[in-house]
Amino acid sequence: MAHQIPVSADDSQDPLNRMRVFQLAGELIPDCFGDARLIRAEPITEEIARQLYAAVCSIEANIAEAYSRSSGKDRAMRFEYALGSVRESMSWYKSATPILGNATVKDRRDRLEEMRRMLLAIIPRERGRTMKQWDDCGLRTNSHLGSAIK
């Protein structure tokens, strides 16, 4: 009988977990959940709560999906979806200022702005990449660049 090591997504060695924009997106989700609960409590902003939480969660999901694509064009498209969700989240947070207050909204929008800037840098780089290939040493390379990717 083989010895099995417990596996957990929390302590996974997935390189995606080292991507800063992915980390920022994941860190915002719990804060957004609390914000959405406060926003939902006010009848006039109830629908904003659902939209906000869905938009914030989709940032992380789209980054994860982008990271899993093999072509630069596919990755760029998913990162663009994440960028759209960042911008949507910024708008929903602005709409929630009367409930959350200026300080909380500024904090959330500043964090989203950092993600926006990162994605704006990532997208053009990814668009220029081609399919990942394996070289003779077992390293992934970009076929048109010939450079190893870790």
Side-chain angles (χ1 to χ4, degrees), residues 134-140:
W134 296 97
D135 69 8
D136 294 335
C137 299
L139 296 172
R140 286 186 299 167

Side-chain angles (χ1 to χ4, degrees), residues 2-13:
H3 178 15
Q4 294 186 358
I5 299 172
V7 178
S8 167
D10 292 334
D11 59 357
S12 169
Q13 298 301 312

Side-chain angles (χ1 to χ4, degrees), residues 59-118:
I59 299 167
E60 185 186 57
N62 281 304
I63 293 168
E65 187 170 352
Y67 200 83
S68 301
R69 298 296 171 155
S70 61
S71 81
K73 183 179 177 183
D74 284 345
R75 284 191 304 275
M77 184 172 65
R78 277 18 177 244
F79 283 131
E80 287 171 340
Y81 293 160
L83 176 61
S85 294
V86 165
R87 289 179 165 152
E88 179 183 358
S89 299
M90 292 175 87
S91 180
W92 289 125
Y93 265 115
K94 186 176 178 184
S95 301
T97 301
I99 305 298
L100 299 175
N102 289 326
T104 297
V105 170
K106 181 182 181 335
D107 171 73
R108 305 307 190 255
R109 287 176 54 97
D110 286 350
R111 291 158 65 184
L112 288 160
E113 174 63 16
E114 186 177 358
M115 288 182 246
R116 187 186 72 81
R117 289 177 186 211
M118 288 179 183

Side-chain angles (χ1 to χ4, degrees), residues 125-140:
R125 281 196 316 252
E126 291 300 327
R127 195 171 276 120
R129 291 193 178 170
T130 59
M131 296 294 285
K132 294 177 187 171
Q133 297 177 349
W134 296 97
D135 69 8
D136 294 335
C137 299
L139 296 172
R140 286 186 299 167

